[in-house]
Amino acid sequence: MPGVVLVGAQWGDEGKGKATDLLGSRVDYVVKFNGGNNAGHTVVIDDEKYALHLLPSGILSPGVVPVIANGVVVDIEVLFEELDALIARGVDVSRLLVSGSAHIIAPYHRTIDKVTERFLGKRRIGTTGRGIGPAYADKTNRVGIRMWDLFDEKILRAKIEGSLDQKNHLLVKVYNRRAITVDETLDELLQYADRLRPMVTDTAVELNKALDAGKNVLFEAGQATMLDIDHGTYPFVTSSSATAGGAVTGSGVGPTRIDSVIGVIKAYTTRVGEGPFPTELFDDKGEFLRKTGGEYGVTTGRARRTGWYDAVIARYATRINGLTDIVLTKLDVLTGMEKVPVCVAYDVDGVRYDEMPTDQTAFHHAKPIYEELDGWWEDISRARSFEDLPKNAQAYVHALEAMSGTRISAIGVGPKRDEIIPVHDLIHTR
Ligand code: GDP
Ligand code: IMO
Ligand code: MG
C-alpha cells in the first residue's frame, strides 16, 4: 500500500501525464487501466518533450514498472512504434508488462471507426479514429481478441474468423468497402507474437503482490470523467471506464486496495471532438486560452475547444470518483486577465441546477451562471510555494477548492517538471 488512482476530472488533457511524472520517483508501478492510443500525454523533462499515447506516462521514470492492464485496448503496431521511439531516445523500457487479458485493436477496428464516423455525419462523435470504440464493442459483444490468443495460432484464427464474419457483411454491403481476409489479419497479428511474449503476463497477480509487499502503485487513467462511458456526456464519450472505478475492473485489484484518488483539473476547461460544453467560448478570450495554453491535441493535432472553469463539473468529478485530492494545472495560463469568470451553476430552461444534470437534453440546454473573480498580472511560473502566488491567484485557488469540495494538493504553473507548487502530500493512506 498505497494504491493511488489518478483521473482526469474534465474532458481530458488536464495534464495527467505531468501529474504522473511528478509522482514518478515515489511510485513503484504505474498502471494504465483504460483506453488505448486515443490518449495523448505530454511530459516535459529538462526541455525534452515526450508524447505518450499507449504507454503509461510512468515509463519515463527510472525504476518504475509500467503496466498495461486488462482494461486497455492495445494496437500492437503502435505499442512497438512507441517503444522503439523511446528506446532511440535512451529510455529503458525493459520492465514493461502487458496483461494477457487486454484486448487487441486490429486493423479492421480502425477502418470501422473511420467509416462509422463518416456514416454518422452530423451526429458524429469526433473520435480519434484509432479504433477504440469498435475494439471495446467487440469486447462487450464477446467477439474480441485478447493478448493471450496471439500465442495459440489455432485459437487466433478461429477468433479472427468469428470477429470478421459479421463485419465483412457490414463493410461490403453497408459501407461499400472491401472485405478483410482472415489470413491478412492473422499474418499482421502473428508477426508481433515473439516480441510480445516476454512482456505478456497476468498483471493482476503482479499488482496484487506488489500491493501486498507495500509497494506504491499508481493507476493512471486515460481520457476523463466527462468522457467516461457511464458517467460522461453520453453519447459524446469514449468507450471505456475512465473514472476511478475503472481502475479496479481495469486492473484486477479490489476497491479496498485503493487509498486515494487524485483528480487532475485545469484552471479552465477544454474539450476535443463533438458534444455539449456549457462554458465554451467562441470569442477572443477562448482564442487567448487556446494560444496561451497551447491547446492543440497531442494525438490528432486538432485545436481544442476552450472555456472557463466549471465548478459544477468539478463537484461532479469529486462525487463520481470519490476524489481525495486535486491537482490544479495551468493556473499560469490565466495570468493577465482583469476578471476570471467561473461557472458556479447552470440555468436549464429557467431552472437553476447546482449539480450536474445527467439527462442529455438538460445538459445540452445548460447555460453557465458565472461568478467573476479578480485576475492577476504577475508572472507566476516561478512560484514554488502557495505564498509566492499573488493574492488574487491565491483567492482564485481557494474559491475553486471551496466549490469543488476537495482539497487542492498541487498547483501547476508551467509545463516543466518543476513548475509545480506542492501544497499537500499526494501519496497517503486513508
Ligand atoms: P493529459 O492528456 O491529461 O496527460 O494532458 P496533455 O498532455 O494532453 O495536455 C496537457 C498540456 O498541458 C501538455 O502540453 C502539458 O505539457 C501542459 N501542462 C501540464 N501542466 C501544465 C501547467 O501547469 N501549466 C502549463 N502552462 N502547461 C501545463
Ligand atoms: P487524454 O488521455 C481528450 C475524445 C475524442 C472524442 C471522444 C471519443 O489525452 O486526456 P475515441 O477515439 O476515444 O472513441 O473518441 O473522446 N477523446 C479525448 N479527448 N483527451 C483524450 O485523452 C481523449 N481520448 C478520447 O476527441 O471526442
Ligand atoms: Mg491528452
Side-chain angles (χ1 to χ4, degrees), residues 12-17 38-42 52 223 272 297-299 304:
D13 306 322
E14 296 90 349
K16 297 177 291 294
N38 46 349
H41 305 306
T42 316
L52 297 164
Q223 294 73 54
V272 197
V298 187
T299 300
R304 294 175 182 151

Side-chain angles (χ1 to χ4, degrees), residues 309-316 342-346 354 400 403-404:
Y309 186 85
D310 188 331
V312 182
I313 289 178
R315 275 198 292 282
Y316 181 67
V342 170
C343 168
V344 294
Y346 301 135
D354 288 297
L400 263 45
M403 289 176 204
S404 67

Side-chain angles (χ1 to χ4, degrees), residues 275-338:
F277 178 0
T279 63
E280 182 166 15
L281 293 165
F282 299 95
D283 56 7
D284 53 343
K285 295 261 172 46
E287 193 51 31
F288 173 84
L289 293 176
R290 188 174 304 112
K291 285 264 152 58
T292 318
E295 298 297 354
Y296 299 90
V298 187
T299 300
T300 57
R302 289 180 288 180
R304 294 175 182 151
R305 299 157 64 190
T306 53
W308 298 123
Y309 186 85
D310 188 331
V312 182
I313 289 178
R315 275 198 292 282
Y316 181 67
T318 292
R319 188 164 70 243
I320 293 292
N321 296 291
L323 297 185
T324 56
D325 299 86
I326 283 175
V327 173
L328 182 71
T329 61
K330 299 196 134 176
L331 187 64
D332 53 299
V333 175
L334 295 178
T335 299
M337 300 205 170
E338 186 77 41

Side-chain angles (χ1 to χ4, degrees), residues 2-272:
V4 179
V5 177
L6 185 140
V7 296
Q10 297 156 321
W11 277 288
D13 306 322
E14 296 90 349
K16 297 177 291 294
K18 183 185 161 182
T20 299
D21 180 61
L22 173 72
L23 299 170
S25 61
R26 299 181 55 204
V27 297
D28 304 293
Y29 287 75
V30 174
V31 184
K32 180 178 169 86
F33 62 81
N34 76 303
N37 57 313
N38 46 349
H41 305 306
T42 316
V43 182
V44 186
I45 304 172
D46 303 332
D47 292 326
E48 283 257 350
K49 200 166 164 177
Y50 296 86
L52 297 164
H53 300 283
L54 180 54
L55 293 168
S57 313
I59 200 155
L60 299 173
S61 305
V64 165
V65 181
V67 177
I68 293 178
N70 57 278
V72 175
V73 285
V74 181
D75 186 322
I76 309 174
E77 189 183 347
V78 173
L79 174 68
F80 287 137
E81 268 171 24
E82 250 185 82
L83 284 174
D84 289 340
L86 289 182
I87 292 167
R89 292 173 78 173
V91 178
D92 176 10
V93 300
S94 61
R95 286 177 302 275
L96 177 70
L97 299 176
V98 180
S99 167
S101 303
H103 280 246
I104 291 170
I105 301 180
Y108 48 80
H109 291 130
R110 289 192 295 263
T111 309
I112 291 170
D113 194 356
K114 288 177 191 142
V115 288
T116 321
E117 279 282 277
R118 224 170 294 145
F119 226 72
L120 280 170
K122 66 178 184 12
R123 286 182 296 117
R124 70 185 179 278
I125 310 295
T127 72
T128 58
R130 301 296 191 263
I132 305 294
Y136 278 113
D138 274 4
K139 173 179 176 176
T140 309
N141 215 10
R142 295 160 295 188
V143 290
I145 298 168
R146 301 193 298 169
M147 285 291 170
W148 296 130
D149 302 328
L150 286 181
F151 312 123
D152 184 332
E153 190 175 332
K154 217 170 123 206
I155 290 268
L156 183 61
R157 177 177 285 279
K159 295 218 167 169
I160 294 173
E161 274 167 7
S163 186
L164 277 179
D165 200 21
Q166 281 188 13
K167 283 187 192 71
N168 273 334
H169 287 292
L170 194 71
L171 279 171
V172 174
K173 293 177 191 156
V174 179
Y175 294 131
N176 208 15
R177 306 282 293 221
R178 77 171 177 86
I180 295 161
T181 68
V182 174
D183 282 331
E184 70 185 280
T185 308
L186 189 76
D187 291 347
E188 157 101 27
L189 294 181
L190 276 180
Q191 65 175 314
Y192 305 118
D194 287 345
R195 191 171 172 196
L196 267 171
R197 192 69 196 95
M199 307 172 194
V200 174
T201 186
D202 183 342
T203 50
V205 168
E206 178 80 20
L207 292 172
N208 278 285
K209 276 191 186 155
L211 288 162
D212 288 343
K215 307 267 192 212
N216 291 335
V217 180
L218 178 64
F219 299 88
E220 176 203 315
Q223 294 73 54
T225 305
M226 302 303 281
L227 289 172
D228 182 275
I229 185 76
D230 285 273
H231 303 290
T233 46
Y234 192 89
F236 301 101
V237 293
T238 192
S239 299
S240 70
S241 299
T243 44
V248 173
T249 47
S251 71
V253 307
T256 48
R257 312 308 298 260
I258 306 300
D259 294 273
S260 60
V261 184
I262 300 169
V264 186
I265 307 191
K266 250 181 233 190
Y268 51 97
T269 314
T270 61
R271 170 161 210 177
V272 197

